[in-house]
Every structure is written in structure tokens, then in C-alpha cells.
Amino acid sequence: MLSILRAVWTVFLHLFKRKVTVLYPEERPRIPPRWRGRIILSRDPDGQERCVACHLCAVACPVGCIALQAAEDEYGRRYPEFFRINFSRCIFCGFCEEACPTYAIQLTNDFEMSEYHRHNLVYEKQDLLISGTGKYPGYNFYKVAGLSIKGKDKGENENELPPVDVKGLMP
Amino acid sequence: MGKTVPETIRHLIIVFGVLAVMMSIAAGLIWVERRLLGFWQDRYGPNRVGPFGILQPLADMIKVFAKEDWVPPFADRPVFILAPAIIVVTVLLAFAVVPFAPSISVADLNVGLLYFLALSSLGVYSVALGGWASDNKYALIGALRASAQMISYEVFMGLSLMGVVMLAGSFNLRAIVEAQRRLWFVVPQFFGFVIFLIAGVAETHRLPFDLPEAESELVAGFHSEYSGMKFGLFFVGEYLGITLISALIATFFFGGWLGPLLPPAVWFFIKTFFFIGVFILLRATLPRPRYDQLIRLGWKVMLPLALANLVVTGGIILAAG
């Protein structure tokens, strides 16, 4: 009997406790920097698309929400012809970001993606591509890869020696 | 009739005023309860619709009216439709004898207390018939539980009030309030108050004693098959019941409209709302007992306690002459 009254009093005192509710639109929750939110495609420091259309993100995706088509420009640089993420399927696991060899696909800390129509959650390449470099400002895949593309021949990378002439006899 | 026209108009105003006030209080309690429960659980509760969320009942009402008014094909149609109305009608009829202020009450019955007990017993037909007509095993179990609970708790609810009747020497609610001018009956009739409070919680089947509904065991108990406005009527009936029991606790044990400075009706509503708050606080705190525990508490603890209270009160009155 006494314990019941004590319980009632304890509950009553909770009237004056701090509320745990975050009043969301007015009060913003703290989003940690590594939050896995809306997915973006980033660009090189010189403004080119980072994505090389290797399909690793699409393979890594456990729900299969990434679709893309590879293409190549006349200088041998690969890029996705289309790149489509269905966010109504995406589970924001971040596996695509881990799989990406060029830091192209990245998860950001934006989570406000509500839509009234489901098909509006299918993002195309122009919706995904941002103008900046995202989390890795200095990284430029083609500047460290051995491939020759427009404006850069083999051996012209940073920290790279000219190619060895394998048929020559000189050391 | 022999009444003058202004007097008749005054009576009509009181009747419809009481009806309107009670219905709006019952609707407002939807918001009050959810808000208070929120506060007691370290949340805010509904605070989006209108200032402080005060228009939440309006939103709920639009929703409940817009719902399909559906009767299950296997239900006993006339009884199914009638059942939710019974609880609202009986509780509203019981408000007729409640004296809100010296001059504001619908009927000044000299057996007001018995009238209230009779109508609150009739209220159980709503639950029992609703559960029966639903033709659903959970609804039936809920209805049977409600009947057994009402029979058990009705007994000492009446007995707990007899002490008040002996002290006041009247069944008239107005006379009972007048008799408390010197001392509120909660002091000499403390056990009577506690028993009446517990019986009142059981009578309105509110949370510690909500076994007829028991959503964690019986889906929703007697109103499992109800939806739309018929469900809404059960809901309104429940809130009206809380208001009625709170108003009667204030009348029988806390001096009704009596109080200094403020107008009588204001005192009455302050006291009533205090006990509505107590009802909600009990809901926020206490878990539901098992069914046999509920019945055992009723017959083995509460009934003897009520009888002992009656005997002691009677003895003291007799000794005092």
C-alpha cells in the first residue's frame, strides 16, 4: 500500500523533470560527423567526376538500390552514363562508400528526404552529383592511378617515375 | 407544472449548459490526459495542433467522424449500435443530480445518491451488451470481466457512501454538501473516501482496473470490434465517467462548491479537476492487477473494510446521540 503511494508520488515528481523529447523542427538534433545520410557523388579537385563506373558500390549494396551504366570518353576516362539510387530502398548502411575505390560515392549528414510520392525518392545522377569534393578534399584518383588520360600521360603522376623501357638493356 | 416562463427558460439554460459543458470537458480530457501522461513520462504529449496542442480533440474528432461507420457482418446489429449510446446516456443522466453550485443543478432529487448509484450500475449494460453483440471472443471475455468487476465493486461503492449519508442525514446531494459547511467529510469518512475512489476507478474501468479492455491481453476487450464514432462514444463515455466520479468525490467528501473567496462553481470545478488529475496520475503509475487479484481485493479487502467503516461510523453517531 505504501509502495503504491510512493510510486504515485515518484511519477508525479516527473512533472518537473527535464523532458527527453527533442522538439524536432524547432530544435535540431546533434548529427555526428560520420552520420550515414543522403548519398552524394563527389568530384575531383579539378572538377571532374570521380566515379569511374566500376560497379563495386552496386555489388556491395545489400538491397540493390544502386543502378548505373559505365561509359568511356574518347581519352579512355570512365564515367557513369547514368547513376541512379532508389532511396526508398536504401538502408543507409554505407557499404557503397566503403567499397568505392575513388571516394566518389559518399554518405552525408543530411537526413531530411521525406517525399509525398515514392518515385520522387529515385535520385538520378544530376540529383546525386555535387560540385565539391566532399569528405576528401585533396584526393584525385587519376593523379595517382597509372592510366593515361587527357592531359596526363603515363609517368606524369605525382611521385611517379617515367615508365621503364622493358626492352632496353640499360639499367 | 405551475412554473413561470423565466423559470422554465432558466431550467432549460441549465440543462443545455450542463450538457454542453460536460461534453466539452469530456472532449477536452482527451487532450488533458494525453498531455499529463506525456509530462509524467518525461515527454511533451500532443503540442502541435493549436496553442499547446489544445485543438487536438478537434483533430481527433474530425478523424473519428471521417472514419467508415462499419458494423461487422457477424455482429448483432441493433444491440451493437445501441451499446455505445447507453454509457453516454447513463452517465449524462447521472449528471442531472450533481450540484455544481447552490443554484445550478438540473434536478434536486431527494434520493440523488441512490439515483447516481442506479445509473452507474446501468452503465455496465453498455459494456456487457457491446461485448456480447460483437460476437468476438475477446470482446466477450472483456464484457464478462466488466460485468463481474461491476458487480463486485458496485457493492462496496454503495456501502462506502452510506457513512456520508449517515453523517449528512440525507440522500440529497445538495443537503450532503450543505452538511459539510463545518468539516469536509473526507476527515470523518477517510476510509469511505479511499474505498469510493478505488470503486470509482473500477467503475469507470480506468487503468489499474481496466481489465475489461486490457489491451495487452484482450486486443481492446469489449470494444475490439468497434470503430469510428461508435468507438468514439465509448471513449467519450469513459471520460464522462471520470468527470462524474471526480465531481461526486468532490461533492461527497470535499465539500462540493464550498470554499472561500472564489464563486461556488469555480470551487466545484477546481476540486473536480484535481480528482481528474488523480485519475490520470493513477493511470500513469499503476500496472494492471491479475483478474483474480482484482476480484479478491474487492470481496476480501474492500467489502469488509467498507462494512467496518459503516459499523464504526454508525456506532460513533449512535454514541454521540
Side-chain angles (χ1 to χ4, degrees), chain B:
Chain B
M1 296 295 281
K3 275 186 181 153
T4 58
V5 173
E7 207 167 326
T8 314
I9 290 171
R10 195 178 147 270
H11 271 279
L12 281 177
I13 288 172
I14 288 176
V15 168
F16 286 103
V18 167
L19 189 68
V21 168
M22 284 310 138
M23 289 312 263
S24 32
I25 285 179
L29 281 186
I30 294 170
W31 172 73
V32 170
E33 167 152 47
R34 290 177 59 189
R35 209 67 217 271
L36 282 178
L37 282 178
F39 282 138
W40 282 321
Q41 294 164 358
D42 292 350
R43 308 182 278 117
Y44 285 101
N47 62 351
R48 294 284 154 183
V49 194
F52 304 109
I54 201 150
L55 296 180
Q56 185 69 39
L58 206 68
D60 287 351
M61 230 182 310
I62 291 170
K63 178 192 150 195
V64 93
F65 273 114
K67 286 215 168 191
E68 187 184 353
D69 192 29
W70 192 69
V71 179
F74 45 80
D76 185 351
R77 204 181 157 84
V79 183
F80 188 86
I81 293 171
L82 192 66
I86 295 176
I87 191 157
V88 176
V89 169
T90 52
V91 176
L92 278 177
L93 279 174
F95 271 111
V97 290
V98 175
F100 298 94
S103 53
I104 307 175
S105 72
V106 176
D108 192 16
L109 283 181
N110 55 2
V111 288
L113 194 146
L114 295 177
Y115 173 81
F116 149 69
L117 287 175
L119 279 172
S120 76
S121 310
L122 279 179
V124 75
Y125 277 104
S126 169
V127 176
L129 290 177
W132 179 260
S134 296
D135 198 9
N136 169 319
K137 61 185 169 189
Y138 294 117
L140 186 61
I141 294 172
L144 289 179
R145 282 184 176 188
S147 317
Q149 180 175 326
M150 289 289 184
I151 291 169
S152 309
Y153 280 67
E154 196 68 36
V155 175
F156 60 80
M157 184 183 214
L159 285 175
S160 68
L161 291 178
M162 286 312 117
V164 171
V165 173
M166 280 195 278
L167 285 175
S170 172
F171 280 113
N172 186 329
L173 266 61
R174 196 175 297 229
I176 289 172
V177 173
E178 283 298 337
Q180 297 176 68
R181 222 168 251 292
R182 278 214 352 267
L183 184 65
W184 288 356
F185 282 161
V186 67
V187 182
Q189 280 296 309
F190 182 72
F191 285 105
F193 159 64
V194 173
I195 294 165
F196 185 75
L197 181 69
I198 291 170
V201 174
E203 189 72 19
T204 49
H205 31 89
R206 289 285 301 171
L207 199 73
F209 300 132
D210 74 334
L211 284 110
E213 284 177 52
E215 68 276 358
S216 44
E217 350 168 351
L218 296 184
V219 192
F222 64 91
H223 59 60
S224 300
E225 296 290 347
Y226 280 88
S227 62
M229 199 50 218
K230 293 200 210 67
F231 167 76
L233 274 181
F234 274 128
F235 221 69
V236 169
E238 181 177 326
Y239 283 118
L240 280 174
I242 298 169
T243 317
L244 177 69
I245 297 290
S246 306
L248 287 173
I249 290 173
T251 309
F252 291 140
F253 298 101
F254 287 84
W257 69 73
L258 300 174
L261 293 173
L262 294 171
V266 174
W267 271 111
F268 187 83
F269 278 103
I270 289 173
K271 289 167 181 174
T272 304
F273 271 96
F274 176 80
F275 284 104
I276 290 172
V278 170
F279 266 76
I280 295 168
L281 181 56
L282 287 178
R283 177 181 177 178
T285 311
L286 297 175
R288 185 186 305 127
R290 223 167 50 218
Y291 196 65
D292 59 317
Q293 292 171 334
L294 174 91
I295 298 293
R296 188 177 300 144
L297 176 77
W299 289 107
K300 289 191 174 169
V301 180
M302 288 304 171
L303 183 66
L305 206 62
L307 285 171
N309 177 53
L310 196 64
V311 169
V312 171
T313 312
I316 289 173
I317 290 174
L318 205 62

Side-chain angles (χ1 to χ4, degrees), chain A residues 39-60:
Chain A
I39 297 171
I40 51 106
L41 288 174
S42 59
R43 286 177 192 270
D44 277 344
D46 49 9
Q48 302 268 44
E49 281 174 43
R50 267 178 178 161
C51 181
V52 295
C54 66
H55 288 89
L56 282 177
C57 49
V59 171

